[in-house]
Short mmCIF file of all heavy atoms in Angstrom, two decimals:
data_model
loop_
_atom_site.label_atom_id
_atom_site.label_comp_id
_atom_site.label_asym_id
_atom_site.label_seq_id
_atom_site.Cartn_x
_atom_site.Cartn_y
_atom_site.Cartn_z
N PRO A 1368 44.89 17.49 14.17
CA PRO A 1368 45.63 16.19 14.21
C PRO A 1368 44.81 15.15 14.80
O PRO A 1368 45.26 13.86 14.87
CB PRO A 1368 46.94 16.52 14.91
CG PRO A 1368 46.77 17.97 15.56
CD PRO A 1368 45.42 18.47 15.09
N TRP A 1369 43.73 15.36 15.63
CA TRP A 1369 43.08 14.49 16.43
C TRP A 1369 41.96 13.67 15.61
O TRP A 1369 40.99 14.42 15.26
CB TRP A 1369 42.45 15.22 17.67
CG TRP A 1369 43.42 15.89 18.43
CD1 TRP A 1369 44.55 15.50 19.09
CD2 TRP A 1369 43.35 17.37 18.77
NE1 TRP A 1369 45.13 16.48 19.69
CE2 TRP A 1369 44.45 17.72 19.47
CE3 TRP A 1369 42.42 18.32 18.40
CZ2 TRP A 1369 44.68 18.96 19.96
CZ3 TRP A 1369 42.70 19.64 18.77
CH2 TRP A 1369 43.85 19.92 19.61
N PRO A 1370 42.01 12.37 15.54
CA PRO A 1370 40.92 11.73 14.90
C PRO A 1370 39.65 11.80 15.66
O PRO A 1370 39.75 11.95 16.97
CB PRO A 1370 41.42 10.25 14.82
CG PRO A 1370 42.61 10.11 15.68
CD PRO A 1370 43.06 11.55 15.94
N ARG A 1371 38.54 11.74 15.01
CA ARG A 1371 37.23 11.71 15.65
C ARG A 1371 36.58 10.39 15.21
O ARG A 1371 36.08 10.38 14.11
CB ARG A 1371 36.40 13.03 15.30
CG ARG A 1371 35.05 13.13 16.00
CD ARG A 1371 33.99 13.55 15.18
NE ARG A 1371 33.46 12.60 14.20
CZ ARG A 1371 32.35 12.61 13.62
NH1 ARG A 1371 31.44 13.65 13.86
NH2 ARG A 1371 32.02 11.64 12.63
N ALA A 1372 36.58 9.42 16.10
CA ALA A 1372 35.97 8.14 15.70
C ALA A 1372 34.59 7.88 16.50
O ALA A 1372 34.73 7.94 17.71
CB ALA A 1372 36.92 7.07 15.85
N ASN A 1373 33.55 7.74 15.80
CA ASN A 1373 32.34 7.40 16.38
C ASN A 1373 31.74 6.18 15.68
O ASN A 1373 31.81 6.05 14.57
CB ASN A 1373 31.29 8.55 16.21
CG ASN A 1373 31.79 9.84 16.95
OD1 ASN A 1373 32.67 9.81 17.80
ND2 ASN A 1373 31.24 10.97 16.56
N VAL A 1374 30.99 5.41 16.49
CA VAL A 1374 30.12 4.29 15.89
C VAL A 1374 28.67 4.71 16.02
O VAL A 1374 28.27 5.03 17.06
CB VAL A 1374 30.40 2.92 16.72
CG1 VAL A 1374 29.45 1.90 16.30
CG2 VAL A 1374 31.81 2.45 16.45
N PHE A 1375 27.99 4.48 14.81
CA PHE A 1375 26.57 4.88 14.81
C PHE A 1375 25.74 3.58 14.73
O PHE A 1375 26.08 2.68 13.95
CB PHE A 1375 26.28 5.75 13.56
CG PHE A 1375 26.79 7.11 13.64
CD1 PHE A 1375 28.12 7.41 13.40
CD2 PHE A 1375 25.90 8.10 13.90
CE1 PHE A 1375 28.55 8.73 13.56
CE2 PHE A 1375 26.31 9.46 13.92
CZ PHE A 1375 27.53 9.80 13.73
N MET A 1376 24.71 3.54 15.50
CA MET A 1376 23.76 2.41 15.35
C MET A 1376 22.43 3.18 15.03
O MET A 1376 22.02 4.08 15.69
CB MET A 1376 23.60 1.72 16.71
CG MET A 1376 24.88 1.25 17.30
SD MET A 1376 25.24 -0.27 16.47
CE MET A 1376 26.78 -0.60 17.15
N VAL A 1377 21.69 2.68 13.99
CA VAL A 1377 20.35 3.25 13.74
C VAL A 1377 19.44 2.19 13.98
O VAL A 1377 19.32 1.10 13.45
CB VAL A 1377 20.28 3.60 12.20
CG1 VAL A 1377 18.95 4.12 11.95
CG2 VAL A 1377 21.42 4.52 11.81
N TYR A 1378 18.61 2.53 15.02
CA TYR A 1378 17.50 1.53 15.38
C TYR A 1378 16.20 2.08 14.79
O TYR A 1378 15.89 3.16 14.86
CB TYR A 1378 17.41 1.53 17.01
CG TYR A 1378 18.58 1.08 17.67
CD1 TYR A 1378 19.44 1.81 18.30
CD2 TYR A 1378 18.87 -0.35 17.65
CE1 TYR A 1378 20.53 1.41 19.03
CE2 TYR A 1378 19.98 -0.76 18.26
CZ TYR A 1378 20.83 0.09 18.98
OH TYR A 1378 21.96 -0.42 19.62
N ASN A 1379 15.54 1.10 14.11
CA ASN A 1379 14.16 1.38 13.55
C ASN A 1379 13.21 0.56 14.33
O ASN A 1379 13.46 -0.49 14.69
CB ASN A 1379 14.27 1.06 12.07
CG ASN A 1379 12.95 1.56 11.34
OD1 ASN A 1379 12.34 2.47 11.92
ND2 ASN A 1379 12.66 0.97 10.22
N SER A 1380 12.01 1.12 14.43
CA SER A 1380 10.84 0.38 15.01
C SER A 1380 10.44 -0.88 14.21
O SER A 1380 10.42 -0.72 12.96
CB SER A 1380 9.78 1.30 15.19
OG SER A 1380 8.55 0.62 15.46
N MET A 1381 10.15 -1.96 14.84
CA MET A 1381 9.52 -3.06 14.09
C MET A 1381 8.24 -2.74 13.45
O MET A 1381 7.80 -3.50 12.59
CB MET A 1381 9.45 -4.27 15.02
CG MET A 1381 10.60 -4.86 15.51
SD MET A 1381 11.77 -5.67 14.20
CE MET A 1381 10.76 -7.03 13.78
N GLU A 1382 7.63 -1.55 13.84
CA GLU A 1382 6.39 -1.22 13.16
C GLU A 1382 6.76 -0.29 12.03
O GLU A 1382 5.71 0.29 11.51
CB GLU A 1382 5.57 -0.35 14.18
CG GLU A 1382 5.45 -0.91 15.59
CD GLU A 1382 4.67 -2.25 15.65
OE1 GLU A 1382 3.64 -2.23 14.97
OE2 GLU A 1382 5.09 -3.13 16.27
N ASN A 1383 7.90 -0.06 11.61
CA ASN A 1383 8.20 0.95 10.67
C ASN A 1383 9.22 0.31 9.60
O ASN A 1383 10.12 1.02 8.97
CB ASN A 1383 8.91 2.15 11.34
CG ASN A 1383 9.03 3.35 10.45
OD1 ASN A 1383 8.10 3.65 9.73
ND2 ASN A 1383 10.15 4.12 10.56
#
Side-chain angles (χ1 to χ4, degrees):
W1369 305 300
R1371 187 219 67 163
N1373 296 343
V1374 169
F1375 286 77
M1376 304 282 173
V1377 181
Y1378 296 108
N1379 190 22
S1380 167
M1381 290 296 289
E1382 317 289 317
N1383 195 38

